[in-house]
């Protein structure tokens, strides 16, 4: 509901907040899919997961934005930069041959 409400408002700040939330939530679900068989053995896993998801989406904490800007964004920028530099290096090597 909050995502749909953010889309309908003229401001872009809430749009960015919810888009960031969905990006982080999606990544969390992908990681949980591959590690779920291990995580389910931890006691109180579902309670910790619930607290984490509430922290991510709560407008007062803006946890998804914090996590995105401190961890996910630098990793994605590093991956994009290294991916872009590989073809450039190969093209430079081909010209020198």
């Amino acid at each position: 509901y909050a995502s749909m409400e953010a889309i309908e408002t003229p401001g872009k700040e809430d749009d960015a907040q919810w888009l960031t939330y969905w990006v982080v939530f999606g990544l969390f679900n992908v990681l949980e899919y591959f590690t779920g068989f291990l995580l389910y053995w931890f006691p109180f896993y579902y309670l910790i997961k619930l607290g984490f998801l509430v922290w991510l989406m709560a407008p007062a904490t803006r946890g998804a934005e914090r996590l995105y800007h401190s961890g996910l964004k630098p990793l994605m920028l590093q991956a994009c930069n290294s991916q872009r530099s590989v073809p450039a290096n190969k093209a430079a090597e081909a010209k020198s041959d």
Side-chain angles (χ1 to χ4, degrees), residues 80-94:
C80 289
N81 288 337
S82 66
Q83 187 178 27
R84 288 181 185 151
S85 66
V86 171
N89 289 341
K90 287 184 180 182
E93 290 174 6

Side-chain angles (χ1 to χ4, degrees), residues 12 14 23-24 27 30-31 34 37 39 43 58-59 61 63 72-73 76 78 88-89 95:
K12 297 294 180 195
D14 55 354
V23 167
V24 173
L27 178 65
V30 169
L31 293 174
F34 290 109
F37 64 94
L39 294 174
T61 61
L72 188 58
K73 184 178 178 180
M76 292 302 294
Q78 182 182 10
N89 289 341
K95 286 182 181 179

Side-chain angles (χ1 to χ4, degrees), residues 30-88:
V30 169
L31 293 174
E32 185 183 35
Y33 177 78
F34 290 109
T35 60
F37 64 94
L38 295 174
L39 294 174
Y40 299 133
W41 289 96
F42 287 103
F44 303 111
Y45 168 70
Y46 289 107
L47 185 61
I48 293 168
K49 177 183 172 181
L50 175 66
F52 176 69
L53 293 176
V54 168
W55 176 77
L56 281 180
M57 75 173 186
T61 61
R62 295 185 173 253
E65 288 183 14
R66 288 183 187 180
L67 191 61
Y68 176 79
H69 289 295
S70 66
L72 188 58
K73 184 178 178 180
L75 286 174
M76 292 302 294
L77 289 175
Q78 182 182 10
C80 289
N81 288 337
S82 66
Q83 187 178 27
R84 288 181 185 151
S85 66
V86 171

